[in-house]
Amino acid sequence: MAARSPAAAGFENECREIHGACDEPRRLSRLLAHRSASERQQIKVTYRAMFGEDLAGRLHKTLTANQDNELCNLLYLWMLDLAERDAIMARDAIESGAAADYRALVEVFTRRKQDQLFFTKQAYLSRFKKNLEQDMDTDPSHPYQRLLVALATSHKSHHDEPSRHIAKCDARRLYDAKNGGGTGSVDEAAILEMFSKRSIPQLRLALCSYKHIYGHDFTKNLAGDFEESLRLVVKCIYSPSKYYCKLLQRSMQRPEAHKRLVTRAILGSDDVGINEIKLAFKSNFGKNFADFIHESLPQSDYREFLWLWQGGRCPVAS
């Protein structure tokens, strides 16, 4: 038998600890919060080989037994494949109450490439036996709904690498759409057409070109129901690190009152990358993310998870 590599042996040791901590969420978070997405995937593979069970499935059992423990929910989602995670978050957004949580759906549709979103839709169909796009079509008259339909269409139609030439042309189209719609408003039809024909990276490049050419963000001075929805979509596309660091900061002001929002903010921020989040946090709030966690947050499991995730060497003292 071939000798195991030190890395493999290290994950085996980690998996033994994880196996013994599966019913102890706080202990489990200390083992998993600092792990990158690739490390978590390797841990899942090793765990299945050692114990014959999917780690995310095992954590779901813990979640089922602790429905009111949001840390259990966070850890379960933390260990899922991205497509499975997004499918569950989309379902939660659709079933969030009297109206769908459109902001959460926008986050799902703007942070994935075309091929990734395809797998999210497949995971949604497999898990819930329903079509994601049909499920989220709850109110066709809602501005967010119209934008989401356009984004869903764009994921079907465009697979090319971003083009700077197209971005410059689209920047001009954005300018015309904004200045042809009246004060504070936009030409909705022109915006929806563009969003339905461009990939997320291509739209991001167009928004960057707009600012470079015209000297200000496209969202400046937008006003109106559709325009407010458009503003959020543009923020998610244009600067994910800025969007998610602000979501983190806002959600963590009262974490006990906004538990699901905290989870959403952490998972979305992890997709962006912790180093980008820390840079954006410093730029927007004038303090280090680690200092914010240490000084501003009440003692909680989230505080410890965030501390470890951002690079803390040991748990914040209780």
Side-chain angles (χ1 to χ4, degrees):
M1 180 182 295
R4 294 187 181 92
S5 69
F11 281 120
E12 288 182 359
N13 292 336
E14 185 101 329
C15 286
R16 289 189 187 96
E17 289 189 74
I18 291 168
H19 187 66
C22 278
D23 293 316
E24 302 175 53
R26 192 168 190 182
R27 181 181 163 202
L28 196 60
S29 73
R30 293 176 180 180
L31 296 169
L32 294 173
H34 65 290
R35 292 294 182 179
S36 68
S38 61
E39 288 175 330
R40 297 197 300 267
Q41 184 61 35
Q42 292 177 65
I43 286 170
K44 286 178 66 178
V45 170
T46 305
Y47 188 94
R48 180 182 283 279
M50 292 177 66
F51 301 106
E53 183 179 23
D54 177 60
L55 178 55
R58 175 64 185 83
L59 295 180
H60 189 260
K61 294 178 183 177
T62 302
L63 173 60
T64 301
N66 299 272
Q67 287 290 338
D68 294 330
N69 189 325
E70 186 60 24
L71 181 61
C72 290
N73 184 51
L74 171 58
L75 288 166
Y76 169 57
L77 294 169
W78 189 247
M79 294 307 297
L80 281 175
D81 294 337
L82 293 181
E84 293 286 338
R85 177 201 295 178
D86 282 350
I88 290 173
M89 295 182 77
R91 182 70 169 181
D92 286 346
I94 290 167
E95 296 187 331
S96 64
D101 185 346
Y102 287 112
R103 290 181 174 230
L105 286 171
V106 166
E107 290 164 15
V108 169
F109 272 79
T110 55
R111 69 172 173 243
R112 299 288 177 234
K113 295 180 180 178
Q114 289 90 337
D115 56 344
Q116 293 172 320
L117 192 61
F118 170 80
F119 289 115
T120 295
K121 293 175 183 178
Q122 292 297 108
Y124 191 95
L125 181 62
S126 175
R127 182 178 285 268
F128 303 113
K129 312 303 179 189
K130 293 185 177 182
N131 180 282
L132 172 56
E133 291 177 39
Q134 291 177 355
D135 257 11
M136 72 181 191
D137 189 13
T138 56
D139 182 5
S141 66
H142 199 289
Y144 275 125
Q145 185 78 68
R146 301 196 292 277
L147 285 161
L148 283 165
V149 168
L151 290 171
T153 303
S154 75
H155 280 283
K156 294 176 181 176
S157 64
H158 232 273
H159 301 272
D160 296 336
E161 288 297 311
S163 161
R164 292 192 178 277
H165 173 70
I166 292 175
K168 290 179 181 179
C169 293
D170 284 347
R172 177 65 194 190
R173 293 178 66 199
L174 287 169
Y175 179 84
D176 291 343
K178 185 176 180 181
N179 288 275
T183 304
S185 63
V186 297
D187 182 339
E188 180 178 331
I191 294 294
L192 293 177
E193 180 185 12
M194 181 184 296
F195 276 45
S196 70
K197 293 181 177 179
R198 299 289 186 255
S199 67
I200 297 301
Q202 186 65 59
L203 287 171
R204 183 176 296 120
L205 193 57
L207 291 164
C208 289
S209 294
Y210 182 97
K211 184 170 185 178
H212 178 74
I213 294 169
Y214 299 108
H216 60 268
D217 290 336
F218 173 70
T219 54
K220 184 179 180 180
N221 297 327
L222 291 183
D225 291 341
F226 178 80
E227 287 74 16
E228 285 303 309
S229 299
L230 176 61
R231 185 192 302 276
L232 180 112
V233 173
V234 167
K235 286 180 178 180
C236 285
I237 294 172
Y238 179 60
S239 182
S241 58
K242 183 177 181 180
Y243 174 84
Y244 282 106
C245 85
K246 288 187 173 183
L247 188 65
L248 266 176
Q249 193 270 350
R250 188 174 80 248
S251 68
M252 292 304 296
Q253 293 301 309
R254 296 178 59 204
E256 293 306 309
H258 302 105
K259 292 181 178 180
R260 288 298 172 98
L261 184 59
V262 176
T263 293
R264 206 176 91 206
I266 291 172
L267 295 173
S269 297
D270 188 61
D271 285 336
V272 172
I274 184 58
N275 290 331
E276 287 191 45
I277 291 296
K278 289 197 285 188
L279 287 172
F281 200 94
K282 176 71 171 179
S283 174
N284 282 277
F285 300 110
K287 67 164 52 181
N288 293 325
F289 186 43
D291 293 337
F292 169 75
I293 294 169
H294 184 71
E295 298 170 4
S296 304
L297 303 187
Q299 184 64 44
S300 67
D301 292 339
Y302 280 120
R303 180 185 180 188
E304 184 168 290
F305 188 100
L306 280 163
W307 179 257
L308 293 168
W309 171 55
Q310 65 82 36
R313 293 292 182 180
C314 59
V316 177
S318 300

